[in-house]
Amino acid sequence: MVTAAQTRSEMRARPRPASDFRPDIQGLRAVAVGLVVLYHLWPTRITGGYVGVDVFFVISGFLITSHIHREILATGHLVVVRFWARRIRRLLPASLLVLVLSGLGVLLLTPSTTWAQTAREIGASALYVQNWQLATSAVDYMALDNVPTVAQHFWSLSVEEQFYAVWPVLILGLLAVMRLRGHRDTRRAILAGLTVIFVVSLAWSVVSTHQDQAFAYMSTLTRVWEFAAGGMAALVLTRVGRPADSVLAWLGVVAVVVSGLVLTEASLFPGWVALFPVLGTVALLLSGAGTRVGQVLSTRPMTFVGDISYSIYLVHWPLIVITPHVTGHELAWPEKVAVLAATLGLAWLSKTWVEDPLRVRPLLAKAPARAFSFAVLGMALVVGFTTAWGTSLERREAVAAQQTKERLAVADRCLGPGALVEANDCGPVAGDGPLVAPVESVLAQVRDPRIRACQQTLESPAILDCVVGDPSGSKGTIALVGDSHAGALLPMADELGKRRGWKVVVHTKGSCPSTDALRVLDVETSDERQESCAAYNAAVDEAILGDESISMVIASSFTRAYRWEGLGGATGAEAGKAGFSRRYDRWVDAGKDVRVISDVPATSGELVPGCIAANPTAPEKCAVPRGTAVVEDLAVTAARAADIPVIDLTDLFCDQTSCYARVGDVIVYKDSSHLSTEYSTMLATHVEVRLD
C-alpha cells in the first residue's frame, strides 16, 4: 500500500490531476451523444456518427483514471468497493428502468416475431454482457438476419461497465507490481501500465478488425485501448491555458467532427481508423476549457445536453425501434424530429427524477452494501422477467409445433407449395386458413439444432459427420451439397430419404457454394473465410469422389450473393459458371448422378416472418414481382450447359406475376432467404416427382 507520507511527497512534487468537474467535458459529452443520436436517426447523412461511442470511451477513461489517481494521492489507498458502489448509484437505476419499460413497450406495441430476441438481449443487457451477446450473433451465420432490438445500444454500456469493474483492480495491480520493483511514483507506475495496455489492445484491435470486423466492433478487448488513451491523458495533464492549447483544440474538433461525417459503415472500424476520433478527443481533453473551443463546449446549452447525455443515450434507441411499429411505416422527418424531442424530454425527466435522487439520497448512498443489494436485486428482477418471458415463448413454440405436426398429418393438396399447382385449383395462393406454424415459431427456426449440427460454420474447413433420411441406406446413398441455401433443403432431403430408403449425407457450409471458383464477398475484411471455403470444398469433393456408395449428388447454391474469381484469372459470371461446371463434370465422370436444384427466388430483403406478422390480413404485401425475384442462377446455367438435369422449383414459389412469402397457409422463409422447415419438408413430394 502507498503510505500517506509518500503520497504527500508526491503531491508536493507533481501537479494535481485534472479537477473533478470541467464544463467543457460536459460539452464534449453533448457532442458525443449528438453524433450517436443523429447517426441513428439520419444514418445516410451523419455516416460516421458511431464514433460518438469512442468519444465516450475516452472521456470515461480520462475521468475514472483521474478520480482513482486523485483518491490514491489523497488517502494513500483506493477503496474499490466504494468506487463500484458509486458507479452502481450513478448508472444502474436509470438503465434498469429503461430496460423494463422497453420490454413492456415491445410486448405491447411490436409483433411477436421480435419478442424472443428482445428477451435474450434485455437479459444480457441487465447483466452488462450485451456486447458479447451481439458479438456472438455477429459471427453466427444463422443469426445474421437478426433485427435490431430495443436493447442493442447497451453493447457500449456493457463495455463501459466491464471497464469500471476491472479498471480499479488493474490499477492497484499495476501499483503493486511497481512497488515490488522498488518504484514509488504512482503516477509513473500507472502511466507505464496504461501505455502497455494501449499498445497491446490497439495492436489486437487492428488485427482483429481485419480478421473479423463484426466481432471486433463489439469486443471489449479491442476497445480497452480507447479507455487507456483517456487515462494516459489524465495522467499527463498538468495545466490548461497554454498557448498551444488552441491549436490542439481545433485539431481535436476537426478529428472528431470529420470522423463523424466521413467514416461510413464500410470503414474498417475500429482498428487503426479509430485513432482519429480517439486522438481527437484526447486533444480536446488536454487543451482544456480555456480555449475558444473549450468555451463553446462550456456554454449552458452544451453542458445541459452533456448533463443528460447518459439518459439521452438510454432512451433514444428504444424510441427509434418502437415508433415505426406504432406508425406503421419507417421513420420520416416529422417522426424523427418527434423522436428527438421526446428523447430530450424523457432524458431530462430521467435525470431529474431517477438518476440524481438515487445517486445522492440515503436510500443507496448511505452505505456501499445498499448499492450492491440494489444492483443484485434489480438485475435479478430484470433477468427473471426476461427468463419468464423466454420460457413462455418456448411453451408457445412447443404447442405450435404439436399443432403443426397434427395438421401436416392430414392430407391436403392445397397446403404449402401445392397451392401454386394449377391442377389443384386451390383458390388464394396465400391460403385462407390459419398458419400451419405461427410467425414466432418460424422465426425461431434460425436456431434449428438439426441444421446447426449439419451446416459447417464460416471459419472451419472441416467436414461434419451428418446423415439424415434412412441411416441404413437400404436403397442407396445420396449427397446434399452447397451453401446455407442447400442447408435449408435439409428437411426436404430428410423426408425424401425416409420415403425412398436413401441415406442422405449432408455437406453444407454457410456462405460456401460447392464450386471450383472462388466466391468473393465484399463485406469480408480478410481472406480467412474464402480460404476456409476453398479448403472445405476441396475436402467435400474428395469425399464424394472417394465414396463409391454415393450414387447421386444434389447441389444447390445462393449464387446471386457472390462475386466470382476463377482459375487463370477469369472473373465475373463466366468464372462462376466455369467453377460449377468443372465440379459437376468431375462428379459425372466418377459415375455420380448429379442433379441441381434451382435457388429460391429473391425476397424483399426483410425478415419474412416479420412481414407476415405485420400484414396478417394482406400477405400479398410481402410478395415480390416475379421479374425482380427470379434472376439467373449460375449453378443452373452451368448445369444446363453440361446437360445435367435441373430440378426447377420456381413454379412452387411464384405464379406468372409474383413470388410469395406465404403459400397455402405456410410461411415460405424463416428469415430473409432461407426456407422454413415446413415449406422445405413439403417440397419433398414435388422434388421426388421431378427426380423421377
Side-chain angles (χ1 to χ4, degrees):
M1 179 178 294
V2 182
T3 66
Q6 290 167 346
T7 55
R8 284 195 297 270
S9 175
E10 185 176 341
M11 290 176 69
R12 287 193 297 269
R14 299 206 175 278
R16 186 178 181 84
S19 62
D20 212 17
F21 178 78
R22 279 176 47 183
D24 62 306
I25 292 181
Q26 292 302 90
L28 189 53
R29 280 177 164 154
V31 172
V33 79
L35 284 170
V36 172
V37 173
L38 293 177
Y39 166 66
H40 286 156
L41 286 171
W42 290 280
T44 60
R45 296 177 180 272
I46 314 297
T47 57
Y50 52 80
V51 302
V53 169
D54 304 85
V55 175
F56 274 125
F57 287 168
V58 178
I59 293 173
S60 294
F62 179 88
L63 293 176
I64 295 305
T65 305
S66 179
H67 295 168
I68 291 174
H69 186 213
R70 186 181 302 106
E71 183 171 341
I72 292 174
L73 291 180
T75 66
H77 61 276
L78 173 66
V79 181
V80 176
V81 171
R82 194 162 57 208
F83 170 86
W84 286 336
R86 287 196 297 267
R87 295 293 91 202
I88 290 171
R89 292 196 302 268
R90 171 70 179 89
L91 301 174
L92 260 65
S95 68
L96 295 179
L97 176 63
V98 168
L99 285 175
V100 170
L101 294 178
S102 298
L104 293 175
V106 168
L107 275 172
L108 295 173
L109 301 172
T110 70
S112 57
T113 49
T114 66
W115 294 356
Q117 187 182 340
T118 298
R120 289 193 298 271
E121 293 193 13
I122 286 180
S125 297
L127 298 174
Y128 288 98
V129 293
Q130 169 72 332
N131 64 313
W132 297 114
Q133 163 82 15
L134 291 175
T136 302
S137 297
V139 297
D140 182 353
Y141 185 81
M142 298 183 189
L144 290 180
D145 281 309
N146 282 349
V147 296
T149 73
V150 291
Q152 180 171 290
H153 63 315
F154 266 74
W155 78 267
S156 63
L157 301 178
S158 298
V159 172
E160 287 220 30
E161 283 295 336
Q162 292 160 30
F163 160 73
Y164 296 142
V166 172
W167 209 244
V169 178
L170 180 63
I171 288 179
L172 289 179
L174 290 173
L175 292 177
V177 170
M178 299 306 289
R179 286 197 297 272
L180 288 175
R181 299 183 62 181
H183 298 285
R184 297 298 178 183
D185 189 330
T186 60
R187 175 178 168 275
R188 287 186 177 178
I190 298 172
L191 187 58
L194 297 192
T195 302
V196 173
I197 293 170
F198 175 88
V199 172
V200 173
S201 175
L202 176 58
W204 175 242
S205 180
V206 173
V207 172
S208 184
T209 300
H210 277 272
Q211 290 179 340
D212 192 332
Q213 183 183 5
F215 187 89
Y217 191 87
M218 302 289 179
S219 172
T220 305
L221 301 179
T222 60
R223 296 287 190 160
V224 71
W225 67 273
E226 301 180 21
F227 296 97
M232 293 162 65
L235 295 172
V236 302
L237 180 64
T238 57
R239 58 193 174 90
V240 296
R242 292 169 293 179
D245 283 347
S246 181
V247 175
L248 196 62
W250 282 111
L251 288 174
V253 168
V254 170
V256 172
V257 173
V258 170
S259 295
L261 296 176
V262 172
L263 296 180
T264 68
E265 290 185 355
S267 301
L268 206 57
F269 199 89
W272 66 269
V273 178
L275 281 167
F276 291 102
V278 168
L279 295 182
T281 306
V282 168
L284 287 166
L285 291 171
L286 291 177
S287 61
T291 66
R292 179 59 181 164
V293 172
Q295 292 169 1
V296 172
L297 292 175
S298 301
T299 58
R300 184 54 188 151
M302 296 296 290
T303 58
F304 170 75
V305 175
D307 289 343
I308 62 173
S309 59
Y310 176 59
S311 288
I312 288 175
Y313 188 83
L314 285 176
V315 303
H316 86 282
W317 184 249
L319 291 176
I320 290 174
V321 171
I322 292 176
T323 301
H325 294 288
V326 177
T327 61
H329 57 80
E330 295 297 319
L331 294 178
W333 269 85
E335 288 91 354
K336 291 180 179 182
V337 173
V339 165
L340 190 57
T343 294
L344 292 173
L346 291 173
W348 178 81
L349 290 173
S350 173
K351 180 74 163 56
T352 304
W353 296 99
V354 179
E355 290 183 52
D356 289 345
L358 292 178
R359 180 167 54 88
V360 299
R361 290 180 182 172
L363 177 64
L364 297 182
K366 190 172 184 180
R370 290 189 178 184
F372 284 102
S373 297
F374 168 80
V376 171
L377 179 60
M379 288 179 172
L381 288 174
V382 175
V383 172
F385 163 63
T386 58
T387 301
W389 189 2
T391 301
S392 174
L393 292 175
E394 289 175 359
R395 290 198 192 100
R396 289 178 56 175
E397 288 178 15
V399 171
Q402 180 59 34
Q403 293 173 343
T404 298
K405 185 177 180 181
E406 293 171 356
R407 188 167 179 193
L408 291 176
V410 179
D412 184 351
R413 65 182 183 179
C414 292
L415 194 64
L420 277 165
V421 177
E422 291 185 7
N424 290 341
D425 193 21
C426 294
V429 171
D432 51 11
L435 285 169
V436 166
V439 287
E440 58 268 26
S441 296
V442 174
L443 186 63
Q445 291 170 11
V446 296
R447 305 190 303 275
D448 185 345
R450 285 196 312 167
I451 294 181
R452 285 180 178 271
C454 291
Q455 182 170 297
Q456 186 54 276
T457 61
L458 296 173
E459 286 76 20
S460 176
I463 293 178
L464 295 175
D465 182 14
C466 175
V467 173
V468 297
D470 180 2
S472 67
S474 58
K475 299 294 180 61
T477 300
I478 69 172
L480 175 67
V481 301
D483 55 15
S484 61
H485 279 210
L489 291 171
L490 184 144
M492 178 279 295
D494 185 33
E495 178 67 19
L496 184 63
K498 290 174 181 176
R499 293 183 185 184
R500 287 294 187 97
W502 288 341
K503 173 183 176 181
V504 182
V505 179
V506 181
H507 293 311
T508 61
K509 174 178 168 65
S511 187
C512 186
S514 192
T515 175
D516 283 6
L518 293 176
R519 105 283 185 273
V520 180
L521 284 173
D522 294 330
V523 296
E524 293 177 349
T525 55
S526 74
D527 294 333
E528 180 183 0
R529 290 178 179 173
Q530 182 170 293
E531 293 167 356
S532 173
C533 178
Y536 177 84
N537 272 334
V540 168
D541 194 35
E542 182 180 351
I544 290 175
L545 294 175
D547 189 344
E548 294 183 358
S549 68
I550 296 177
S551 60
M552 179 185 292
V553 179
I554 297 178
S556 188
S557 295
F558 184 24
T559 65
R560 65 178 179 272
Y562 316 103
R563 289 194 297 107
W564 303 94
E565 294 179 2
L567 301 177
T571 60
E574 293 305 314
K577 287 183 283 189
F580 287 110
S581 294
R582 291 181 185 182
R583 179 146 300 208
Y584 299 157
D585 287 344
R586 279 200 304 277
W587 293 341
V588 170
D589 291 343
K592 313 298 182 184
D593 183 5
V594 179
R595 308 293 178 95
V596 175
I597 295 182
S598 61
D599 191 24
V600 296
T603 66
S604 65
E606 64 178 312
L607 282 176
V608 170
C611 183
I612 297 295
N615 300 281
T617 61
E620 64 276 3
K621 291 183 178 180
C622 304
V624 177
R626 182 183 176 112
T628 302
V630 180
V631 298
E632 183 184 17
D633 183 338
L634 298 184
V636 167
T637 302
R640 285 179 171 150
D643 291 329
I644 291 172
V646 171
I647 303 172
D648 191 345
L649 302 179
T650 304
D651 61 315
L652 300 176
F653 297 89
C654 315
D655 57 21
Q656 295 301 312
T657 60
S658 301
C659 296
Y660 297 94
R662 170 178 168 165
V663 177
D665 295 331
V666 178
I667 298 176
V668 179
Y669 304 94
K670 64 187 175 185
D671 49 26
S672 63
S673 67
H674 297 87
L675 290 175
S676 69
T677 298
E678 293 77 24
Y679 209 78
S680 179
T681 302
M682 292 178 185
L683 286 175
T685 298
H686 304 274
V687 172
E688 184 176 20
V689 171
R690 298 176 192 202
L691 276 174
D692 292 336

